[in-house]
Amino acid sequence: MELVVALALIVFKVALLIAILLLLPLPLTWLERKIGGHI
């Protein structure tokens, strides 16, 4: 049972990491354009 919980935790962490890596460019691109517009 502990193995299943540990495996589920690893899968959750990997999924969270992938989600962060895929969603991070969106606000960064917006911020870059915002700053570029002020320059």
Side-chain angles (χ1 to χ4, degrees):
M1 191 66 192
E2 289 179 22
L3 180 65
V4 174
V5 172
L7 203 59
L9 197 59
I10 290 171
V11 169
F12 176 73
K13 286 180 182 179
V14 169
L16 188 67
L17 187 66
I18 290 172
I20 289 172
L21 289 175
L22 287 176
L23 292 175
L24 193 61
L26 295 174
L28 290 180
T29 302
W30 174 81
L31 191 66
E32 182 184 7
R33 289 173 184 243
K34 197 86 169 159
I35 293 171
H38 284 292
I39 291 177

